[in-house]
Amino acid sequence: MSQPSYYLQGSPFAIRMNSVIGWLARHGVSLLGSQELSVRGRKSGQLQRIPVNLHTYEGAQYLVSARGHSQWVRNMRAAGGGELRVGRRTRVFTAVEIADDDQKTAVVRAYLERWGWEVNQYFKGITAKSTDAELLVACPDHPVFRITVER
């Protein structure tokens, strides 16, 4: 079974901003809850880093890929977890991709309610106010992982 291929690459400005936001998180400054995700590369074996917005929904924590099936998503599928960092605080976690359509639709809707101002442009017209059917159509393009922090 082939994986969906939707991926919206960042503009040079967005890539530069991600570098700055990641650097800030690495040095202890979180912008609106941003954290730096580190996940082992499936080919290189090296830790790959990217800033993310960890999303909490009904007491569980999720990572949603607004840009689609990016490299961190592919690496996460292979690695099954990674690290989240803000400053010196590093949390190791395991990740399970959400396949259940109803659960994924609810998480994506809540994610768009919280982060839509930042990510709506990547969802091809889908917003938190879209119907369940519209969200369901968009969900395959936006992987969602439930994470469990190891204690």
Side-chain angles (χ1 to χ4, degrees):
M1 181 174 139
S2 66
Q3 293 291 336
S5 61
Y6 173 77
Y7 172 65
L8 184 60
Q9 185 166 343
S11 67
F13 177 75
I15 292 168
R16 180 71 182 135
M17 285 304 298
N18 274 350
S19 294
V20 170
I21 293 167
W23 185 90
L24 288 169
R26 206 165 35 257
H27 290 86
V29 179
S30 174
L31 300 176
L32 299 173
S34 63
Q35 299 181 42
E36 184 179 63
L37 167 67
S38 296
V39 62
R40 190 141 326 264
R42 65 195 182 285
K43 294 179 183 176
S44 70
Q46 300 296 313
L47 284 179
Q48 306 297 312
R49 300 182 305 202
I50 186 166
V52 294
N53 297 324
L54 185 62
H55 181 64
T56 301
Y57 176 71
E58 294 187 345
Q61 294 183 312
Y62 297 90
L63 291 171
V64 177
S65 180
R67 292 182 179 270
H69 297 269
S70 62
Q71 292 301 321
W72 78 257
V73 167
R74 294 173 181 146
N75 291 337
M76 186 70 69
R77 287 176 178 142
E83 298 175 348
L84 291 168
R85 170 183 292 224
V86 176
R88 293 183 182 176
R89 182 174 182 225
T90 300
R91 299 180 303 147
V92 176
F93 67 89
T94 57
V96 176
E97 190 165 2
I98 303 301
D100 178 78
D101 289 339
D102 291 335
Q103 182 182 12
K104 190 172 179 182
T105 300
V107 171
V108 169
R109 181 182 304 285
Y111 178 80
L112 289 171
E113 287 170 356
R114 171 68 176 99
W115 297 105
W117 62 272
E118 182 180 356
V119 301
N120 273 347
Q121 65 211 21
Y122 310 127
F123 280 81
K124 299 188 272 187
I126 301 300
T127 69
K129 295 181 179 182
S130 295
T131 66
D132 285 349
E134 291 168 331
L135 281 169
L136 193 57
V137 169
C139 278
D141 290 338
H142 302 281
V144 176
F145 295 88
R146 180 178 179 160
I147 69 164
T148 303
V149 175
E150 298 175 6
R151 306 235 180 247

